Amino acid sequence: RGLIEKNGYPFENHTVQTKDGYILEIHRIPHGRNSSGNTGPPVLFVPGYLCSSADWVNMGPENSLGFILADKGYDVWLANYRGTRWSRKHAWLNPDVDRKAYWSLGNHFQQIGEYDLPAFMNYILNVTKQEKLFYIGHSQGGSSYFALTSAKPEYNDKIRLSINLAPVAYCSHMTSFVNLFVIFKIPIAIYTALTQNYELLGYNFNTAKLGEIFCQDGAITQGLCVTLYYLFGGYSPDQINKTRLPVILTNTPAGSAIRQGQHAAQLITTGKFQKYDYGKVKNLEIYGQPTPPQYNLSKITAPVAIYVGDRDIYAKQEDTDKTASEISNLVVYRYIEGFSHLDVIWGIDAPSVIFNDILEQMGQY
């Protein structure tokens, strides 16, 4: 809220409840700074793993895609999926008490696609009285979108165009911190069983404050923050906006379930884009078959645009090529030189290199 109102934009907080009881916040910017209040077509933004609605507005009015689209007359809706800082509530479970049920049973991109995205979409279309919306997802926001529109193809009819920034589907070539979930698969499983802690990097005010102090311009420790940024996003020295690091680290990480990392580890290991593998017995109970069903990307019929950096350590070219080749209505597939996983939303040149192109594409739909 602070980021949005401080920059002179209107802010609305909306709450939706999913069919499986998760209570989620969507932050709305109904119009831009200089608008008379006329609201254009709705755009649903969905962030990546460990991220929140702040991702889309933390680079200031000229360089944040959320603000840019609001100023261009779009009705901006910034989603917070289950388990993150603004959506850490449930109708009958307490995330700090009923930990296994809240974090472990229904908390990975599969459920975000199955429950959260439909709840967001239906709510937005109901409020705005529109039939379709634009979808913009980053990283896991792309995974969830592909999961939804391939498993529930009727949702394609609600989409004008989906923009997928560094989307992760096939990921056997990934070389990021998520690979630690593969390497330490057994220790992580033992740790969660013993501690009953299923949450990863939950939002912490004190940590955020430290990030603000140690990462600001002039701080001798800023170099450490830059190293951390490269570690999580990939090395791209020409695109990092060091001045904005305190703002980024005040809001990220926003928490998520360890289970989401474990699901990604399964995709890395199998080389398939499929539902969560609970083991043969539980798979039979949940899916009616011993192995998890694979997502059929050819069922995605709404127009899809993909933008990905050549320095991305999560969405590697071999994997993204495979994903792109299976999507039947791919209208844009752009590889961007010198961009990492985070640069597609926060890079210094993102507005000129990517956002302008996105605006042009959206104008056609």
Side-chain angles (χ1 to χ4, degrees):
R1 177 179 211 138
L3 272 174
I4 293 170
E5 291 187 334
K6 193 175 80 184
N7 283 295
Y9 292 83
F11 172 89
E12 292 176 12
N13 187 26
H14 294 255
T15 306
V16 300
Q17 185 174 320
T18 65
K19 281 186 177 167
D20 57 348
Y22 288 80
I23 296 166
L24 316 172
E25 279 191 20
I26 328 179
H27 299 149
R28 183 189 193 190
I29 310 172
H31 55 80
R33 291 168 294 182
N34 307 316
S35 161
S36 56
N38 293 333
T39 300
V43 187
L44 170 60
F45 284 82
V46 178
Y49 188 32
L50 301 170
C51 295
S52 74
S53 56
D55 280 27
W56 308 103
V57 290
N58 59 11
M59 304 307 283
E62 314 307 325
N63 300 305
S64 302
L65 190 54
F67 286 145
I68 289 168
L69 287 185
D71 282 335
K72 290 285 181 193
Y74 289 93
D75 181 8
V76 169
W77 296 77
L78 311 171
N80 294 281
Y81 60 81
R82 59 184 59 202
T84 51
R85 179 185 178 185
W86 308 110
S87 293
R88 216 174 163 279
K89 300 186 192 80
H90 193 279
W92 58 87
L93 297 171
N94 180 330
D96 298 314
V97 178
D98 313 299
R99 292 193 286 195
K100 186 164 188 183
Y102 181 92
W103 292 104
S104 201
L105 299 179
N107 212 319
H108 27 94
F109 79 77
Q110 177 180 326
Q111 271 84 8
I112 294 167
E114 202 172 319
Y115 297 107
D116 297 15
L117 297 192
F120 290 139
M121 287 179 190
N122 295 336
Y123 179 85
I124 292 167
L125 295 175
N126 186 37
V127 169
T128 59
K129 303 287 181 275
Q130 297 267 339
E131 284 179 20
K132 294 186 177 198
L133 50 75
F134 288 101
Y135 182 95
I136 300 180
H138 176 240
S139 188
Q140 187 187 258
S143 321
S144 308
Y145 178 79
F146 295 153
L148 168 67
T149 46
S150 59
K152 295 185 173 179
E154 64 273 19
Y155 275 88
N156 285 284
D157 298 338
K158 297 177 189 280
I159 305 293
R160 290 172 184 261
L161 168 72
S162 81
I163 311 277
N164 298 277
L165 301 164
V168 175
Y170 291 106
C171 55
S172 57
H173 296 84
M174 191 185 281
T175 54
S176 73
F177 92 96
V178 177
N179 293 70
L180 296 174
F181 284 98
V182 179
I183 300 162
F184 299 108
K185 178 184 171 183
I186 292 165
I188 289 169
I190 294 167
Y191 165 79
T192 54
L194 291 177
T195 62
Q196 296 288 295
N197 177 28
Y198 302 94
E199 185 178 7
L200 182 68
L201 296 173
Y203 176 77
N204 182 306
F205 177 77
N206 296 325
T207 315
K209 210 72 197 142
L210 288 175
E212 206 176 324
I213 295 161
F214 287 110
C215 301
Q216 63 185 307
D217 286 344
I220 53 168
T221 44
Q222 194 185 55
L224 287 171
C225 303
V226 172
T227 305
L228 198 66
Y229 185 91
Y230 291 152
L231 201 65
F232 279 92
Y235 182 68
S236 56
D238 297 338
Q239 291 302 327
I240 182 170
N241 185 337
K242 293 175 187 170
T243 305
R244 301 301 294 182
L245 279 176
V247 184
I248 291 170
L249 294 168
T250 307
N251 296 289
T252 309
S256 262
I258 287 175
R259 178 55 66 86
Q260 291 176 29
Q262 290 171 318
H263 193 175
Q266 292 177 0
L267 305 185
I268 293 168
T269 309
T270 60
K272 294 172 179 172
F273 183 47
Q274 62 184 22
K275 295 190 176 186
Y276 191 83
D277 189 349
Y278 293 95
K280 280 184 183 169
V281 176
K282 199 156 187 203
N283 286 342
L284 275 167
E285 187 190 314
I286 294 173
Y287 307 127
Q289 59 184 63
T291 55
Q294 290 187 53
Y295 289 108
N296 181 354
L297 296 179
S298 69
K299 296 206 161 158
I300 302 172
T301 53
V304 172
I306 292 176
Y307 297 85
V308 64
D310 70 346
R311 296 193 173 195
D312 199 312
I313 54 177
Y314 299 85
K316 286 295 191 78
Q317 181 155 11
E318 300 92 329
D319 295 328
T320 319
D321 282 351
K322 187 170 190 205
T323 303
S325 72
E326 292 183 15
I327 291 169
S328 50
N329 195 357
L330 189 69
V331 292
V332 176
Y333 180 29
R334 272 193 63 195
Y335 244 81
I336 297 132
E337 212 173 302
F339 272 57
S340 76
H341 193 66
L342 301 174
D343 297 335
V344 293
I345 53 171
W346 296 334
I348 288 170
D349 296 324
S352 58
V353 176
I354 302 177
F355 301 168
N356 283 343
D357 201 64
I358 288 174
L359 278 165
E360 209 173 295
Q361 295 302 328
M362 289 173 72
Q364 294 174 33
Y365 291 90

